[in-house]
Amino acid sequence: MSAAWIYLGLCVVAYGFANYLQAVAVSRVSVHTSLDPGLLLRLARQRTYLLGVLCQFVGFVFAFLARADLPLFLVQTTAAAGLGVTALLGVFLLRWRLPRAEIALLGTLALGLAGLIVSAQRSPSRELHTGETLALGSGVLLIALLGVVAARVHGARGSVVLGCLAGLCFGAAAVASRPLASVHSLPLFLGDPLLYILVLYVAVGQLMLGLAMQRGSTTAAVAAMDATAVVPAALIGLLLLGDRIEPGLGWLAAAGFVVTLGSILGLTRYAAPQHGCAPPQEPTADRATVAEERRAS
């Protein structure tokens, strides 16, 4: 078995833990109504959030390593399937009760992923031209400007808009990482502009996601993020980066993609704690800090 497949499985587990931990953390910070980077500083005071970010970073590293040989439509969709892991964690650790519809979604998720795995063909990415790199880099500025406007939108609509922008950031980071993952020389890796484009997209995406989860609907935020992180990146991979599908299995790849993405969107309700399930408690010092922030606001 290729190491890329192992990396792919590990990234799903890491993202499953990250989804829940970050959702719990952002619910404990006063709501921000602007694109304020200070939100990340306040979240960084919470151990739960830091642990969630660590899990997300580990998942991103494994996904990055998997992209060296596997197409984006497979890696992006499989990484988003971490919500399935979140649901299973809720069942075994937090005593969530899954209705039959959700159990069925887990089953279709597994079937969809199986279709993607069978139809995906291993291949390295082609390199991006200078113009393509510049276009990719300029996109982060456009998304940040849109985020300034979107931060003023509240409620579920704000969650969706900001979640979409976060997903675009993470999808663009995946596009940058596909050719970057094939660079095996450390000096070339550190000197590649794609590395710094990737870092910018991840930082802006993380801020957008935190704001989106604060708008009152983690479900809407994660659903919007997953859809916009998966679909555009998958199309760009197939059209520009040389991603390949096994001959004669295009229908299976398309069916697997649609079934998997649909199952992921159905499972997004498990990105937030269910009623009656108390989230992990922060240490006393952290709770006092949150209380002081709320009184100050």
Side-chain angles (χ1 to χ4, degrees):
M1 177 184 292
S2 169
W5 297 105
I6 298 175
Y7 296 144
L8 191 64
L10 291 174
C11 91
V12 174
V13 176
Y15 278 130
F17 279 94
N19 286 332
Y20 174 72
L21 292 171
Q22 291 188 62
V24 170
V26 298
S27 68
R28 294 171 174 165
V29 179
S30 57
V31 176
H32 285 230
T33 58
S34 63
L35 193 64
D36 181 8
L39 171 61
L40 294 181
L41 296 178
R42 290 179 174 85
L43 288 172
R45 298 174 185 172
Q46 298 192 46
R47 295 178 184 177
T48 301
Y49 182 77
L50 293 178
L51 183 58
V53 171
L54 176 61
C55 289
Q56 187 173 17
F57 175 76
V58 171
F60 182 83
V61 170
F62 283 129
F64 178 86
L65 295 173
R67 291 184 190 111
D69 291 320
L70 299 177
L72 283 179
F73 71 82
L74 172 62
V75 179
Q76 288 301 97
T77 310
T78 304
L83 279 175
V85 175
T86 305
L88 293 177
L89 287 174
V91 171
F92 291 108
L93 300 180
L94 301 177
R95 299 180 182 179
W96 289 356
R97 296 180 180 179
L98 296 183
R100 292 180 180 179
E102 314 306 339
I103 296 175
L105 283 173
L106 288 174
T108 57
L109 178 66
L111 289 175
L113 288 175
L116 288 174
I117 291 171
V118 170
S119 61
Q121 185 179 96
R122 290 180 55 201
S123 62
S125 170
R126 79 164 182 83
E127 296 182 2
L128 292 179
H129 300 312
T130 302
E132 293 170 335
T133 301
L134 290 173
L136 183 63
S138 63
V140 70
L141 299 176
L142 176 60
I143 293 176
L145 290 175
L146 292 174
V148 172
V149 178
R152 303 171 185 173
V153 183
H154 304 285
R157 182 178 299 177
S159 295
V160 170
V161 175
L162 288 164
C164 284
L165 293 176
L168 288 176
C169 284
F170 294 133
V175 171
S177 68
R178 175 82 162 107
L180 185 63
S182 300
V183 178
H184 300 297
S185 168
L186 183 59
L188 291 176
F189 181 84
L190 294 176
D192 197 317
L194 289 175
L195 173 62
Y196 305 99
I197 291 173
L198 183 156
V199 171
L200 283 174
Y201 271 116
V202 170
V204 174
Q206 195 67 32
L207 176 56
M208 297 289 183
L209 180 58
L211 290 169
M213 286 182 170
Q214 282 197 326
R215 290 304 183 270
S217 178
T218 297
T219 296
V222 176
M225 180 191 70
D226 285 337
T228 52
V230 170
V231 177
L235 293 175
I236 291 174
L238 289 169
L239 296 176
L240 297 178
L241 299 180
D243 289 357
R244 298 175 183 175
I245 298 172
E246 290 288 350
L249 293 182
W251 64 272
L252 182 59
F257 185 85
V258 172
V259 170
T260 303
L261 185 58
S263 301
I264 290 168
L265 296 180
L267 286 168
T268 50
R269 60 174 301 204
Y270 294 101
Q274 289 185 339
H275 296 294
C277 299
Q281 294 296 316
E282 290 290 324
T284 304
D286 289 344
R287 291 200 300 270
T289 300
V290 173
E292 290 176 3
E293 290 177 356
R294 289 176 177 170
R295 285 197 296 269
S297 61

